[in-house]
Amino acid sequence: MLWSCPRRCVTWGAHYGGGIVLYPGMGVRMWIAVDLDNTFADYTGALRAWVQEHMMVDGCSLADPVAYSFMDSGWPFNSPAAMMEAHRRAVRDGLYLAEQPYPHAVDTIRRLAVQGHDLVFATSRDDDPYGVQTSAWLDEWLPGGRPPVVFVQDKTLLDADLLVDDKPSMIRAAIDHGMKVAHPAHLYCRDEPGFMFTDWRQLPRIVRGLEGDAGKRMV
């Protein structure tokens, strides 16, 4: 499978061009940006395993976070700084390599690509020098070719047709920017605006609905 972004030139933090394109007989082709941690891949599960091993905490007591910062969720972090210190230590130990894709996420990405959509993984990771862990992980789970990855803090700069993300502030910023957003049903983001999905297999249906709206606008 060939992965490319013919409508936009994607580099590490920039893209050019834009707009939804209608291909005769193929429907609407969309530009879809997909976040990694706790969107495509289970960051919480990987961090839970690290905390259990390195901080001597029973994994069963580490509930799914009710806040994006993991505070007030039974995790052993008494401040955002403590959370970030644990995160940095875990990353040094290979946290990003230990994550698992959410069920059906890999197959859904491949399905959307086969349908002709342009995809990019967009992550705000700034603690993975040269994207070593990120690239190795993506190559493992999407062997034989995969969407490119862009490292960017403000994902509204991508101006994607659809952003798939879990961060509440990013969801709201993207919608304020005029972007469509789909997000998982995590406790900390399930009440955010946009299209919520509980299973990655639901995402193609969301995309089809947006295709229909875009097609009507272009007729």
Side-chain angles (χ1 to χ4, degrees), residues 12 36-37 87-88 91-92 94-97 123-138 149 151 153:
W12 285 41
L36 289 175
D37 298 315
H87 164 84
R88 285 191 288 266
V91 170
R92 289 196 295 268
L95 177 69
Y96 296 142
L97 293 171
T123 178
S124 60
R125 294 175 179 176
D126 58 5
D127 49 10
D128 182 18
Y130 304 104
V132 172
Q133 289 191 44
T134 301
S135 294
W137 188 89
L138 288 171
V149 58
F151 293 80
Q153 294 291 324

Side-chain angles (χ1 to χ4, degrees), residues 102-126:
Y102 283 109
H104 316 296
V106 169
D107 289 342
T108 296
I109 287 293
R110 288 176 172 151
R111 178 179 175 184
L112 291 172
V114 167
Q115 291 172 352
H117 300 292
D118 293 334
L119 295 118
V120 62
F121 287 112
T123 178
S124 60
R125 294 175 179 176
D126 58 5

Side-chain angles (χ1 to χ4, degrees), residues 108-186:
T108 296
I109 287 293
R110 288 176 172 151
R111 178 179 175 184
L112 291 172
V114 167
Q115 291 172 352
H117 300 292
D118 293 334
L119 295 118
V120 62
F121 287 112
T123 178
S124 60
R125 294 175 179 176
D126 58 5
D127 49 10
D128 182 18
Y130 304 104
V132 172
Q133 289 191 44
T134 301
S135 294
W137 188 89
L138 288 171
D139 289 342
E140 175 185 357
W141 289 103
L142 287 162
R146 57 169 173 79
V149 58
V150 57
F151 293 80
V152 59
Q153 294 291 324
D154 181 2
K155 294 169 188 175
T156 66
L157 295 174
L158 296 174
D159 202 24
D161 301 322
L162 175 65
L163 172 66
V164 188
D165 207 299
D166 71 301
K167 187 175 182 179
S169 61
M170 191 69 259
I171 292 170
R172 294 190 293 270
I175 289 175
D176 289 344
H177 189 71
M179 297 164 64
K180 303 296 184 183
V181 178
H183 61 81
H186 300 319

Side-chain angles (χ1 to χ4, degrees), residues 11-22:
T11 62
W12 285 41
H15 81 286
Y16 305 92
I20 300 173
V21 177
L22 181 64

